[in-house]
Amino acid sequence: MKILGVDIGGSGIKGAVVDTATGELLTERLRLKTPQPATPDAIAATLKELVEQIGWDGPVACGFPARVIRGVVYTAANIDKSWINTEIEKLFSRTLKTDVFVANDADVAGIAEMHFGKGRDYQDQQVLFLTIGTGIGSALFLNGRLYANTEFGHLKFHGDSAERYCSDSARERYDLKWKEFGARFNEYLTYVEFLLQPDVIILGGGASKKFDKYAECFTVKTKVIPAETLNLAGIIGAAMYGEIRLKEAKKKK
Ligand code: BGC
């Protein structure tokens, strides 16, 4: 299936048409700046611009940095607070005049990584996929099936949330060297390992590209590996999520 996958983030909105069977991008990846303030209407308008620039009139699916349940946004850690309770799928569908499907950004990136990346080797196991970016996103897979909308970046940690302590933006905010960041992230991994005991932890998001600079700080027993799909996972995974939703809709008819 050909679907426009869009990765909506705090600084950029990125999209490309994806062949969901191969995970290949069929158009160039286009990136527009996330408008500030990133309110629902402003993001919807930027999404429209992106779709028009790509020249696409087929189905669209997005990863969004919040808990999204049945088309409604319920959290807003790193996005404008006015998103809370917004009917995001209705808003985007109305704006684009086509069906738009939306899910949590880490969940969709995890779907791509499980299908086209390292997750292929762990289909019958318990996988924790974490994205390290502005926040920390999480996606939990049991035997290849997603337990959606987990928020392990918000575990209480040192009196605040874990993502305030050791996301990539925390690394920049505290001006941490990679080894210092690694030591912090290792503390966090030790905690999630204790809570969840996954078979493997896969790290995605911006900071996973620098995995070699800090991985030696990890002392957890669980295997920790960098994602393979890296920064395209959000786009590819969004398109794959769109395919799942389209197939579900077809079944219901
Ligand atoms: C949000 C998550 C999101 C993660 C990565 C967190 O602040 O609460 O929903 O997946 O950031 O963007």
Side-chain angles (χ1 to χ4, degrees):
M1 220 178 250
K2 290 178 187 151
I3 300 181
L4 173 60
V6 183
D7 184 8
I8 300 178
S11 55
I13 299 182
K14 297 142 271 177
V17 178
V18 178
D19 178 344
T20 53
T22 60
E24 249 177 286
L25 301 198
L26 301 173
T27 59
E28 252 180 54
R29 169 184 174 276
L30 184 67
R31 181 184 193 277
L32 297 181
K33 266 199 184 151
T34 304
Q36 294 303 336
T39 57
D41 286 341
I43 293 219
T46 308
L47 176 65
K48 186 164 186 257
E49 200 183 318
L50 182 111
V51 174
E52 282 170 3
Q53 284 194 26
I54 293 174
W56 179 247
D57 60 1
V60 178
C62 311
F64 191 76
R67 179 170 271 159
V68 185
I69 304 171
R70 281 179 275 283
V72 181
V73 174
Y74 287 102
T75 57
N78 293 308
I79 51 171
D80 198 86
K81 299 290 172 254
S82 58
W83 274 103
I84 293 179
N85 292 327
T86 296
E87 293 187 298
I88 190 169
E89 290 191 349
K90 278 198 185 150
L91 170 68
F92 286 177
S93 301
R94 213 169 42 230
T95 310
L96 298 183
K97 298 188 177 57
T98 179
D99 282 341
V100 184
F101 307 104
V102 186
N104 173 263
D105 57 354
D107 281 349
V108 302
I111 291 174
E113 185 62 24
M114 289 302 289
H115 204 84
F116 294 115
K118 296 271 173 58
R120 280 172 300 187
D121 301 335
Y122 299 95
Q123 284 300 321
D124 54 356
Q125 299 190 39
Q126 302 183 161
V127 180
L128 175 64
F129 175 76
L130 295 172
T131 61
I132 319 170
T134 309
I136 294 178
S138 59
L140 194 59
F141 293 87
L142 176 59
N143 298 335
R145 280 185 66 100
L146 172 69
Y147 186 120
N149 281 300
T150 58
E151 287 282 5
F152 291 114
H154 290 272
L155 286 172
K156 197 87 183 199
F157 213 62
H158 293 290
D160 206 336
S161 67
E163 69 175 19
R164 301 274 309 159
Y165 183 67
C166 58
S167 60
D168 203 31
S169 59
R171 179 186 62 78
E172 285 169 2
R173 191 169 350 106
Y174 295 111
D175 201 13
L176 301 175
K177 303 217 166 60
W178 281 110
K179 297 275 156 25
E180 291 168 327
F181 166 77
R184 279 189 180 215
F185 205 79
N186 183 54
E187 276 182 69
Y188 172 63
L189 288 178
T190 307
Y191 190 33
V192 287
E193 174 187 62
F194 170 71
L195 293 174
L196 297 170
Q197 199 57 76
D199 294 304
V200 65
I201 298 173
I202 306 179
L203 300 185
S208 66
K209 285 177 227 160
K210 304 280 188 207
F211 184 83
D212 292 342
K213 293 198 187 289
Y214 55 81
E216 68 189 57
C217 303
F218 297 166
T219 58
V220 284
K221 291 203 181 71
T222 308
K223 193 169 184 180
V224 184
I225 53 176
E228 199 176 302
T229 50
L230 294 176
N231 61 345
L232 291 180
I235 292 175
I236 299 168
M240 293 176 74
Y241 175 73
E243 180 178 35
I244 295 169
R245 292 283 302 276
L246 280 169
K247 283 187 176 160
E248 273 173 13
K250 220 176 181 184
K251 258 194 221 158
K252 275 190 197 147
K253 273 188 192 162

